[in-house]
Amino acid sequence: MLNDIYQNLDPVALSLGPLVVRWYGLAYVAGFALAAFIIYRIARRWRLGLTMDDLLTLMICAIVGVVVGGRLGYVLFYGDGYYFAHPLEILAFNQGGMSFHGGLVGLLAGGAVAARLTRVPYLTLADLGAIAAPLGLFFGRCANFVNGELWGAPTDGPWGVVFGGAAGMMPRHPSQLYEAVLEGLVIFCVLFALSRRLPPRPRGTFVGAFLVLYGIFRFLIEFVREPDVQLGYLWGGWLTMGQLLSAPLVVAGVALLVYAARRKLSQEGPQRPSAPEAGDTAC
């Protein structure tokens, strides 16, 4: 036990009277802010002609989609019927409970709204979001570690971390950090490197690659991550809800990569209606 690593981090970053700022909330702020910066820089490199209004519209739609989708996804996938009996607690965001897969669906839906408002092709916005999103995942998983939640299975390895509380005093895999590195840093580095080529790769390439990589990494990490206590293991005691939801992402990602390779649609900016020329007035 002398060599064990103990997680004693405070989830509260700042407390001023009734105002409490948590690292988890700061992770969301940092993730969205950095995502906006990355999207802006890549859009400039791709010469898409996105304005600051376009970027603001995209980020507002993304934030609403991620928060609403993430919460509803947790309620549906991981609530195990609890929230149907206590519907008012669906709005209790301060109690935690967000689902990546629900957030992904919400983000895709928000992207559809943003595409309609900005007149940017949907898959171009999806590709931009796919490149930037892993940084948000990185901050979010680090915040999970700080909160001492979503811990891994017990391990005898020297890297085991004692989380205490409901996790007990046995060393566990710091699965939050595994996910931060693989789902966050690795995917971002791969997609960002791919985005450097000009002209950019066809529409759908980046979101397809993101889905494949995330689905594979999440499926593998679930083997060393403790399943949610209210659900446990599914189907014979080996499959988790995370794996059940991640496997279809790989299939969808491969299908999207095939579509992108066959259609070869170029990345495009806003398709704004051209201004009428002088003399083109209606009679």
Side-chain angles (χ1 to χ4, degrees), residues 16 20 30 53 84 103 121 127 155 160 166 188 200 223 252 257:
L16 296 174
V20 177
D53 283 345
F84 294 105
D127 279 341
T155 178
F188 171 73
F223 285 114
L257 287 173

Side-chain angles (χ1 to χ4, degrees), residues 60 66 91 112 123 174 205 222:
I60 291 175
V66 168
L91 302 177
L123 282 180
T205 300
E222 287 284 324

Side-chain angles (χ1 to χ4, degrees), residues 28 65-75 97-104 106:
Y28 269 79
V66 168
V67 173
V68 175
R71 184 58 174 174
L72 292 181
Y74 182 83
V75 169
M98 297 287 283
S99 163
F100 164 80
H101 298 89
L104 176 62

Side-chain angles (χ1 to χ4, degrees), residues 63-178:
I63 291 171
V64 173
V66 168
V67 173
V68 175
R71 184 58 174 174
L72 292 181
Y74 182 83
V75 169
L76 295 174
F77 300 142
Y78 297 97
D80 197 29
Y82 174 82
Y83 292 96
F84 294 105
H86 307 83
L88 292 180
E89 294 196 26
I90 294 176
L91 302 177
F93 287 90
N94 61 313
Q95 297 180 13
M98 297 287 283
S99 163
F100 164 80
H101 298 89
L104 176 62
V105 173
L107 182 60
L108 293 175
V113 175
R116 185 175 182 84
L117 294 175
T118 62
R119 299 179 181 270
V120 179
Y122 177 68
L123 282 180
T124 291
L125 288 184
D127 279 341
L128 291 171
I131 299 169
L135 293 177
L137 288 174
F138 171 77
F139 288 119
R141 294 310 184 191
C142 288
N144 290 146
F145 181 81
V146 172
N147 286 348
E149 60 191 4
L150 306 182
W151 54 76
T155 178
D156 294 328
W159 55 83
V161 176
V162 177
F163 292 95
M169 299 306 293
M170 73 283 288
R172 293 179 175 275
H173 285 282
S175 55
Q176 313 96 322
L177 300 183
Y178 301 167

